[in-house]
Amino acid sequence: MYDGEDHDENGLTFGQADDEQRRRAEKYAECTAQLSAAPDPAGAESLFDTGFTNGLVAIVVHEWPGQEHDARGRTLPASALLKLIEQKAADGVLAEAADAPGTYVIPEPNPVSFSWMEDGEEISLDTRIDVATLRDGLEATQHIRHARAGSSTRWLEERHIEALVALDYRQALHALSNEEENRDWERVRAEDRHSVEQAVDHLALIGDDEADRRAEAARRLHTGYHPKENPDGVELSDCPVCWRQAFSATCEDELAMGQGPGQCFACGYERSPSMSYHLATIEHFKVRWGDY
């Protein structure tokens, strides 16, 4: 019965299909980012298999909708997906890379150019699927995942992870950079929370009177802006931890949003350059959105 919505080859509405593709891309990016950050984390074998399968399924669905399933409608496993890529090459749909046997290329019809490039220069974003290396990585993980570890146990190598990262070039994915930015933001926030906790403990140790004395001394110790002697300097600002006007930024942040890196003379809270950049970005977007 027609329900008023169009459906894809798998019976999903196009909205549902988009959601499925987004989840595959996110899972690929999550697993791949973890492996890229630390090539031998706990559960590396499962991360590789999960990231690889979700990434390749997303690509197959984007390029050849419906062919990600077997005759019973089950999603193809990673090993079968690699055979599908090889079959596409055998059928003349894909070409093998001239410089890398076992690697097949999905061409990107629209090369890109950036402002920093010379006139007429373009970058090809063809997707290279290194079937040989991905299959080797898959085989290396099976010993652990299926309890076959022994004296001949193999491990994931950097080349396996590089082949996994290379899949992100495809339009169906393009998710790895966002995942890495999110992970970087979480790391920066965790480091900043630690700095805040240290400052709070330090305040409790020295007491308000000493903190006030240090804030007063900050006015003498801080080197602010001077058109000739310190053109990059900024004035003291309120510390986000102790709220005393004792935060001494070493310079303005990149977006001039008053979130420069530095340290509080009173409580010792330290804002890193990374935290400075993230806070400035947030403030910048607040201002931009406030214009609408």
Side-chain angles (χ1 to χ4, degrees), residues 235-246:
E235 299 305 318
L236 283 173
S237 60
D238 291 341
C239 173
V241 177
C242 69
W243 297 107
R244 291 171 172 83
Q245 191 179 38

Side-chain angles (χ1 to χ4, degrees), residues 30-260:
E30 176 187 335
C31 296
T32 304
Q34 289 187 56
L35 287 169
S36 297
D40 191 26
E45 299 78 17
S46 179
L47 288 171
F48 183 84
D49 200 347
T50 302
F52 169 33
T53 302
N54 277 273
L56 206 48
V57 167
I59 290 174
V60 169
V61 169
H62 182 265
E63 301 296 328
W64 310 289
Q67 297 187 38
E68 73 278 10
H69 293 132
D70 62 16
R72 297 184 179 181
R74 297 174 300 190
T75 301
L76 295 174
S79 56
L81 290 168
L82 290 177
K83 291 180 180 178
L84 175 65
I85 297 299
E86 289 177 319
Q87 186 59 50
K88 292 296 179 184
D91 295 340
V93 177
L94 298 179
E96 187 172 24
D99 61 340
T103 296
Y104 303 97
V105 180
I106 303 178
E108 171 54 54
N110 301 309
V112 298
S113 179
F114 298 99
S115 59
W116 48 265
M117 297 170 63
E118 296 182 2
D119 291 342
E121 186 180 1
E122 294 180 327
I123 295 178
S124 173
L125 296 181
D126 293 347
T127 305
R128 295 165 66 94
I129 302 178
D130 189 345
V131 171
T133 299
L134 289 170
R135 177 176 286 129
D136 187 70
L138 191 63
E139 291 174 354
T141 66
Q142 299 309 298
H143 294 280
I144 300 296
R145 296 193 66 244
H146 298 290
R148 297 199 299 266
S151 58
S152 61
T153 297
R154 299 175 55 210
W155 306 99
L156 283 174
E157 302 171 25
E158 185 175 351
R159 63 191 180 92
H160 299 136
I161 298 170
E162 288 175 350
L164 190 61
V165 170
L167 299 180
D168 194 55
Y169 270 81
R170 203 68 204 143
Q171 182 181 350
L173 296 176
H174 286 182
L176 191 53
S177 60
N178 285 340
E179 176 65 24
E180 290 175 339
E181 287 177 7
N182 290 337
R183 289 171 63 84
D184 181 61
W185 174 223
E186 288 302 319
R187 176 187 59 78
V188 170
R189 286 182 63 187
E191 291 174 352
D192 190 68
R193 282 195 298 269
H194 180 64
S195 182
V196 169
E197 291 168 359
Q198 284 185 317
V200 170
D201 291 343
H202 189 61
L203 275 174
L205 178 66
I206 66 175
D208 287 339
D209 289 344
E210 176 61 18
D212 290 340
R213 187 194 68 79
R214 294 185 182 190
E216 183 66 29
R219 297 185 178 90
R220 293 182 287 101
L221 298 172
H222 175 73
T223 303
Y225 169 78
H226 189 281
K228 292 184 178 180
E229 296 180 6
N230 191 27
D232 295 327
V234 294
E235 299 305 318
L236 283 173
S237 60
D238 291 341
C239 173
V241 177
C242 69
W243 297 107
R244 291 171 172 83
Q245 191 179 38
F247 187 83
S248 174
T250 56
C251 60
E252 182 59 277
D253 62 74
E254 295 180 28
L255 301 174
M257 300 305 298
Q259 302 294 329

